[in-house]
Amino acid sequence: MPQFCKPRVVFSRCLGFDHCRYNGDIINDNFILRLKDHCHALTPCPEVEIGLGIPREPIRIIEDDNKNSYLMQPATGRDHSLEMLKYSNRYLSNLGEVDGFILKAKSPSCGRGTVKAYHAVNDKIPLSTKTDGFFARAVKDNYPLTPFEDEGRLNNYVLRERFLTQIFTLASFRKVAEKESFNELQLFHASNKELLRFYNQQIKIKMGKLIGDFTGGSPDIILDQYGQLLKEAMASHPRPAALANFFEHALGFFKNDLSSMDKQLFLDNVSNWKEGKLPVSAMLTMIRSWALHFEKNWLLEQTILQPYPSELNDIHDSGKGRDL
């Protein structure tokens, strides 16, 4: 079984860690309940950290005609914008390297593009567009290439599989970078070739050239450059056409091992995957089982076959957000 490095993930504290929502509730999310055992979890609650109590009067985002945003508490009339901005920048500047963020959807502090904003003239009437929470904006500014989702979007299995692949790949590279070994970097790149091809072929080529041009000495600079390219690659939208090519390429490894019926079943499943009827994990599991049975070592070394712990596989799907 593959050994996975634990990603460092920032969670909103109310997502299964503490009763700290404005009304004292906790959000028990099944996926996060399973994921947190595989992570080093960091759990801020920005609203509590700026001194708002539990329970507390709700806060909301107010926008004026010039698109200026304020974090207001209507019941008290207090403006918490500056406190939240200071806290967010202080927390994130001291956070260090992390592999992902999962924050609370619709929260005026943590929401990612899902937060209602209200007009300054009448703070009871929401605007037609949604926005980011104050802490979420700071996350985007300080960690623009780091995977960032909310618990609502992760109910979609396509987004969930992508997020898991991103955070475990980045965690694996952090382990390589800590060793400061060029040989370890070569092994990492070799085992992630198909995964990187799926995410961004052009950046993958740059990464390969970076390794090929290395002439010796301290690997610090090349590790920094490679790490930046890796983040850019993993922040790309994966290309379904590249994954379909990998499926066809992988099938070629078994051309002398499988029956015609097995091959046709696989091709039928590829069609089902293209139509959204099968998760990609089902296809990868099929290839991996054949690779194990027929001892196809090159395939077994490719992280694309199992980019994150199998315990986190889940076909549950909200049906929302597939194109996001």
Side-chain angles (χ1 to χ4, degrees):
M1 295 293 291
Q3 297 296 312
F4 294 96
C5 300
K6 282 190 172 186
R8 296 186 78 230
V9 179
V10 177
F11 297 86
S12 289
R13 192 182 303 163
C14 62
L15 296 176
F17 295 90
D18 196 8
H19 292 262
C20 61
R21 294 204 73 204
Y22 75 96
N23 58 359
D25 279 354
I26 187 171
I27 307 297
N28 290 310
D29 183 276
N30 289 333
F31 170 67
I32 291 176
L33 183 65
R34 289 184 290 119
L35 175 60
K36 66 184 183 180
D37 290 335
H38 296 271
C39 294
H40 294 297
L42 305 162
T43 58
C45 177
E47 294 175 23
V48 171
E49 300 299 340
I50 66 170
L52 301 178
I54 308 170
R56 56 187 172 273
E57 295 291 345
I59 56 176
R60 62 176 45 169
I61 294 177
I62 304 295
E63 284 190 3
D64 62 23
D65 290 334
N66 295 319
K67 301 298 182 182
N68 297 312
S69 292
Y70 306 91
L71 194 62
M72 302 297 297
Q73 192 172 42
T76 64
R78 290 186 59 188
D79 181 351
H80 293 281
S81 308
L82 185 58
E83 298 161 84
M84 184 62 76
L85 288 170
K86 286 182 177 179
Y87 164 76
S88 300
N89 289 322
R90 182 174 66 251
Y91 178 84
L92 295 169
S93 65
N94 293 317
L95 183 59
E97 195 75 20
V98 294
D99 304 306
F101 292 83
I102 303 178
L103 301 185
K104 179 70 191 78
K106 303 180 182 180
S107 160
S109 55
C110 293
R112 178 191 181 279
T114 58
V115 187
K116 288 181 181 179
Y118 294 79
H119 200 284
V121 175
N122 187 339
D123 65 9
K124 292 181 174 58
I125 299 178
L127 300 174
S128 58
T129 57
K130 302 287 180 69
T131 187
D132 294 318
F134 270 54
F135 183 72
R137 295 175 193 180
V139 168
K140 287 184 173 180
D141 288 342
N142 286 271
Y143 290 84
L145 295 176
T146 301
F148 178 11
E149 292 291 356
D150 62 47
E151 88 288 0
R153 282 168 53 92
L154 291 175
N155 281 322
N156 169 261
Y157 72 70
V158 174
L159 299 180
R160 190 166 58 244
E161 287 180 333
R162 187 171 80 192
F163 182 78
L164 289 171
T165 299
Q166 290 170 320
I167 63 173
F168 279 93
T169 302
L170 293 175
S172 179
F173 176 74
R174 273 197 306 105
K175 191 73 171 180
V176 170
E178 288 170 5
K179 294 179 180 178
E180 298 182 344
S181 166
F182 180 69
N183 288 338
E184 290 288 333
L185 177 60
Q186 287 180 302
L187 291 172
F188 176 88
H189 186 71
S191 64
N192 282 282
K193 277 187 175 180
E194 293 301 325
L195 182 66
L196 292 169
R197 191 194 311 276
F198 172 39
Y199 270 80
N200 193 309
Q201 168 71 353
Q202 291 182 334
I203 294 179
K204 171 191 168 291
I205 292 171
K206 291 181 182 178
M207 297 163 88
K209 187 175 187 305
L210 193 64
I211 290 174
D213 290 345
F214 185 66
T215 57
S218 173
D220 290 352
I221 294 177
I222 188 175
L223 283 167
D224 287 344
Q225 293 173 338
Y226 187 96
Q228 181 65 20
L229 288 172
L230 178 64
K231 288 180 180 179
E232 292 176 18
M234 298 308 293
S236 305
H237 280 274
R239 300 179 304 120
L243 191 56
N245 288 340
F246 170 69
F247 291 154
E248 294 177 8
H249 178 55
L251 185 60
F253 277 78
F254 308 103
K255 62 182 179 181
N256 298 321
D257 303 304
L258 299 174
S259 69
S260 58
M261 291 180 63
D262 285 331
K263 295 174 184 176
Q264 188 57 52
L265 173 63
F266 181 78
L267 293 174
D268 290 343
N269 282 338
V270 171
S271 297
N272 287 331
W273 164 73
K274 288 179 178 178
E275 294 173 10
K277 297 176 182 177
L278 273 181
V280 66
S281 55
M283 300 300 305
L284 297 175
T285 298
M286 179 178 288
I287 296 172
R288 187 166 179 271
S289 66
W290 287 341
L292 285 167
H293 182 73
F294 296 113
E295 298 181 345
K296 306 296 184 181
N297 292 331
W298 183 86
L299 268 179
L300 289 173
E301 291 169 357
Q302 291 302 303
T303 58
I304 194 171
L305 292 185
Q306 191 173 343
Y308 54 83
S310 58
E311 297 91 335
L312 296 173
N313 284 332
D314 186 356
I315 63 170
H316 170 74
D317 185 6
S318 66
K320 298 179 181 179
R322 290 182 181 172
D323 297 325
L324 299 180

